[in-house]
Amino acid sequence: MAITRTPAKHFAPLAIGAPEPYRQLPVRLERMIHFIPPHNEKIRAKLKDTIKQVDVVLGNLEDAIAVGEKEAARKGFISMAREFDFGTTGLWTRINCLNSPWMLDDVTEIVANAGNKVDVIMLPKVEGPWDIHYLDQLLAQLEAKHKVSKPILIHAILETAEGVNNVEAIAAASPRMHGMSLGPADLAASRGMKTTRVGGGHPGYGVLADPGDDKAAARVFHQQDLWHYTVGKMVDACLAYGLKPFYGPFGDFADSAACEAQFRNAFLQGCLGAWSLHPSQIEIAKRVFSPDPGEVLFAKRILEAMPDGTGAVMIDGKMQDDATWKQAKVIVDLARIVASKDPERAAQYAL
Ligand code: GLV
Ligand code: MG
C-alpha cells in the first residue's frame, strides 16, 4: 500500500510561516515555456520584448549551460527576476538536478533573492515522489525564512525510465506540483533508445503496410510517433491529479514542419504547451496550443445546443451528447484563456 499523508496534512504548509499550498492551480496560459540562458547579456537585453511575446520565460540553469557558467547563469537569473516586471507572463527556472553540486545553491539563492517573483521551479531527472518531497520541504523552509507570499510550484521533467515507471506517484506527491514535461533527449538515453535526437520522430520507427496482390508493388511505410506511449502515460497521470502535461524540446530548429507536427500530436493527446528553445518555435507553439478557430466555433454550437449539457442533438449530421459537450467545454474554456491574452485570436473565436 502506498503511504501518503492524511488529506488534511497533504494541504498543510510544510514549514511554519510558509504559504498555504494551492488546492487548485492558478489559471495561466502556458502555450510555450521559452528557454533562455540567463547569463547571456544580449538575450537579457531583449527580455522586455520577449516577455510580451511569450507565455512563460524560463531561465535555464541545467543542461546546455556549461560547468564554468553555472554560477553566472544563476546570478543572471536572479538579476533578471528582480529587474523585470513579468505581468501575466510566467517566470520559471530550470534548476540543476538533485545529485549535482549546484542544485542546493540554485534553490537557496533563488528563493532568498527572487522568491516572490518565481512562479515555478522545473526539476529535471525526477525519478520518484521522494525527489518531489525533498524539494517540497526545502522550498517550504525557504519560503518561510524569506517571507515568500505564494507557493513556488514544482514542474517535473519526465526523462528517466524510472521516472516514467513512477509517473503517477510523482503526480500525487505534493499539492506544490504544477505539471510535467516530457524530456525526450534524456529519456532516450536513459531507456537505451538508439537515437541521437532531441525529440521528434525517427525515419526507422514505423509500420510497413501489408503486401497487396501485386507482390512487386512498393509497400507504403508509415512513420509512427516515438513518443505516443510516454505522452499518453504522462497525460493520464497529470490529469488524474489536476496537473498540466507538456511536450518538451524539439531540437531540429530548421525543421519547423516536424516541430509543428510533434507539438500537435501532444496537443491533441492533452498537452497544454511545449518548450520553445529557439524564437522561431514561439509562433509554432502559439499556433498549435491555441485551439483552432473552426473547432472553437463548432464547440460553441454544441454548448449552445445543449444548455444544461445533457441529452442528444445532431449538428451538421454529427451526434452530440453529454460526452461531446464536455469535450466542447474543454476547447471553449481553453479558448477563453487564450483570448484573455491574445486579442487576435479572441476576435477569431468570437468570444
Ligand atoms: C530535456 O531536458 C530532455 O532531456 O529532453
Ligand atoms: Mg534533459
Side-chain angles (χ1 to χ4, degrees), residues 62-63 94 124-125 157 159 183 185-186 275:
E62 198 225 11
D63 291 359
R94 177 170 79 166
K125 300 177 178 73
I157 313 182
E159 55 181 353
D186 269 302
W275 302 1

